[in-house]
Amino acid sequence: MAPSLLGGFTKSLAMTVLSEIGDKTFFAAAILAMRHPRKLVLAGCLTALIVMTALSVSLGWVAPNLISRKWTHHVTTLLFFVFGIWSLWEGFKEDGESEELAEVEAELDASFKSSKGESKNKSKVTDDTKKQQRPFIMQFFSPIFIKAFSITFFGEWGDKSQIATIGLAADENPFGVVLGGILAQALCTTAAVMGGKSLATQISEKMVELSSGVLFLLFGIMSLLSGPEGQL
């Protein structure tokens, strides 16, 4: 029985939302949006996440063609249980303070001061004039766009959510997984950019980790009961 589009969509949507809220890239988007034009930060972060989601789903889609679906199903089930236990462990270790936010803010502060020092001799009037003269499309290839893209892309590479997306795409309908993942990324990134640091500080990393841990374990149990053929 072929995996359903709706099943892949809903699992990917739920998993990505809980994985991305309170993640390092979520906080990075919120902080960048406070210092740079929101539309450029949103475009850079969202483009990186869409590319990463598409790459992850592609890897997951190719996997069953290289090894049997039975083994990809077993590996995916194992990953769900491992990430579930890992997330619960991280959640129970959290003391309530947003260490992730503080760490990201410190890194971006250092980068911001460095770039500010290099460009302090430039005239603000000249910069504004250049920005007005620059075509709208070309603004999305500005240093701000590239910075937002690179921080998000490399921040997500090898992350728990990326590996889980690969496993989910190997076991579920890849079109459903990519649609759910992109929608979730769009919702989370837009919330981070629009809400800024005020929203980021209200997020409980402990509750996010515990919730994602429970969700991963639930997916693991469902995968274990359904078997490689996808039937409960």
Side-chain angles (χ1 to χ4, degrees), residues 98-127:
S98 184
E99 297 178 0
E100 193 88 37
L101 175 60
E103 180 184 340
V104 173
E105 192 169 16
E107 292 176 1
L108 291 178
D109 277 339
S111 175
F112 182 71
K113 289 177 182 178
S114 176
S115 61
K116 186 178 180 181
E118 292 175 358
S119 60
K120 65 181 180 179
N121 294 325
K122 293 183 179 179
S123 170
K124 185 178 185 302
V125 176
T126 303
D127 289 345

Side-chain angles (χ1 to χ4, degrees), residues 138-161:
M138 292 304 296
Q139 290 185 26
F140 290 98
F141 295 94
S142 69
I144 298 171
F145 175 90
I146 295 172
K147 181 178 182 179
F149 180 94
S150 58
I151 287 175
T152 304
F153 186 86
F154 293 109
E156 283 294 310
W157 189 264
D159 191 59
K160 180 170 57 179
S161 60

Side-chain angles (χ1 to χ4, degrees), residues 163-182:
I163 300 173
T165 300
I166 295 173
L168 193 62
D171 205 41
E172 296 288 342
N173 186 294
F175 294 105
V177 174
V178 75
L179 289 175
I182 289 175

Side-chain angles (χ1 to χ4, degrees), residues 212-227:
S212 61
V214 171
L215 186 67
F216 276 126
L217 290 179
L218 179 61
F219 285 171
I221 294 172
M222 291 172 64
S223 182
L224 189 65
L225 293 177
S226 66

Side-chain angles (χ1 to χ4, degrees), residues 120-137:
K120 65 181 180 179
N121 294 325
K122 293 183 179 179
S123 170
K124 185 178 185 302
V125 176
T126 303
D127 289 345
D128 290 341
T129 303
K130 288 181 178 179
K131 185 178 292 185
Q132 291 173 1
Q133 293 175 345
R134 183 183 297 168
F136 176 76
I137 296 298

